[in-house]
Amino acid sequence: MEPADLVREIADALTQIDPAAPMPLAGRRALVTSGPTHEPIDPVRYIANRSSGRQGHAIAAALARLGAETTLISGPTNLPDPPGVSMRFVTTARDMMAACEAALPVDVAVFASAVADWRSADRVDAKIKKTAGTVPTIDLVENPDILATISQMTDRRPTLVVGFAAETEAVNENAEAKRRRKRCDWIVANSVAGSSAFGADDNTVTLIGDGLHDAWPEMTKEKVADRLAARIADHLGSTP
Ligand code: CTP
């Protein structure tokens, strides 16, 4: 077997789904984005970022464990598919946008992906050749903002939309400004200064919403996922 398949089989075998465990999200639908996007420059080069996808994958797994019918839309990662989750694999921001729209309607959407903000404006189907003494210029155009688009939908907006804000300074202030600008309900603020967050095991986050400012201690990304899923279940449980 391929190593990734082997890891998935072992994870599936070890995941003890306790039939007596409470499933507060049974009957609810969830959408999660995870990982980076890759934006081609030509057939061999691309623009990307350091996202590992660990946080987003852990959130999808946590929502599924609580009973949600969960779709995980993943950019390129090296992670095994979380058990009990429907996977959609994408490469670019535009593919991710289309896959998100196709997954609607959902009760909750969590946008944990580090979507590339820009893509090349030029044709990408021919390799850029090196010419001695000159360097190429890459013109960029803006990618769709998936979180903002889905937060501002009038017809199929999920009941609860959760964004992430990866910041290096003024973390909570920038995150709150981002929440208002994009119009999501909650934003998970995390610092990506230095070596933390991107690719790390642990995360230190603050959950911010209207009248909500909850600073969580440093914990593993899996624990952040479990806690966020529990908060989502509480919120949706009180929403008819
Ligand atoms: N996001 C998105 N689509 C994009 C860019 C970001 O859905 N094209 C989402 C991310 O999944 C995350 C949130 O928006 O939930 C914030 O992402 P971040 O990269 O921190 O914000 P940006 O809008 O890129 O702002 P900046 O890079 O200026 O901080």
Side-chain angles (χ1 to χ4, degrees):
M1 290 177 93
E2 291 300 316
D5 294 335
L6 195 54
V7 169
R8 190 172 54 245
E9 292 294 329
I10 293 169
D12 282 355
L14 293 178
T15 305
Q16 303 282 329
I17 306 244
D18 176 357
M23 291 266 187
L25 289 174
R28 300 287 194 177
R29 287 166 54 86
L31 159 67
V32 180
T33 67
S34 184
T37 63
H38 286 183
E39 308 298 328
I41 296 169
D42 70 12
V44 296
R45 306 178 178 98
Y46 57 84
I47 301 169
N49 59 63
R50 294 182 185 282
S51 169
S52 67
R54 275 191 56 180
Q55 187 63 81
H57 277 54
I59 291 167
L63 291 168
R65 274 196 299 276
L66 295 188
E69 190 187 316
T70 306
T71 301
L72 174 57
I73 299 173
S74 175
T77 76
N78 293 318
L79 299 173
D81 301 345
V85 164
S86 297
M87 296 298 299
R88 304 279 182 277
F89 297 102
V90 297
T91 304
T92 67
R94 286 188 294 175
D95 296 343
M96 189 174 274
M97 178 82 249
C100 286
E101 284 179 318
L104 297 177
V106 296
D107 298 288
V108 57
V110 181
F111 295 94
S113 169
V115 184
D117 291 320
W118 309 285
R119 66 177 184 276
S120 173
D122 302 319
R123 60 186 286 246
V124 295
D125 52 350
K127 187 179 172 196
I128 301 171
K129 300 297 289 178
K130 187 165 71 178
T131 313
T134 65
V135 290
T137 304
I138 302 167
D139 286 324
L140 300 174
V141 290
E142 213 170 316
N143 270 329
D145 192 310
I146 303 166
L147 171 63
T149 305
I150 291 193
S151 293
Q152 289 167 44
M153 280 181 161
T154 46
D155 49 348
R156 289 176 301 158
R157 188 191 194 278
T159 308
L160 181 63
V161 181
V162 184
F164 269 72
E167 308 289 344
T168 54
E169 55 204 347
V171 176
N172 292 343
E173 294 75 4
N174 281 335
E176 172 60 4
K178 200 169 274 182
R179 184 179 80 87
R180 289 180 180 279
R181 193 168 64 245
K182 301 198 184 201
R183 305 209 196 134
C184 54
D185 303 297
W186 294 352
I187 201 148
V188 182
N190 69 333
S191 169
V192 290
S195 61
S196 59
F198 276 76
D201 293 339
D202 291 351
N203 220 349
T204 310
V205 308
T206 302
L207 181 62
I208 297 172
D210 270 335
L212 170 67
H213 188 101
D214 213 356
W216 296 352
E218 181 173 347
M219 60 183 86
T220 63
K221 289 180 175 173
E222 287 68 30
K223 288 237 158 60
V224 169
D226 280 335
R227 200 153 162 171
L228 182 63
R231 294 296 292 260
I232 290 168
D234 279 353
H235 182 84
L236 291 180
S238 61
T239 312

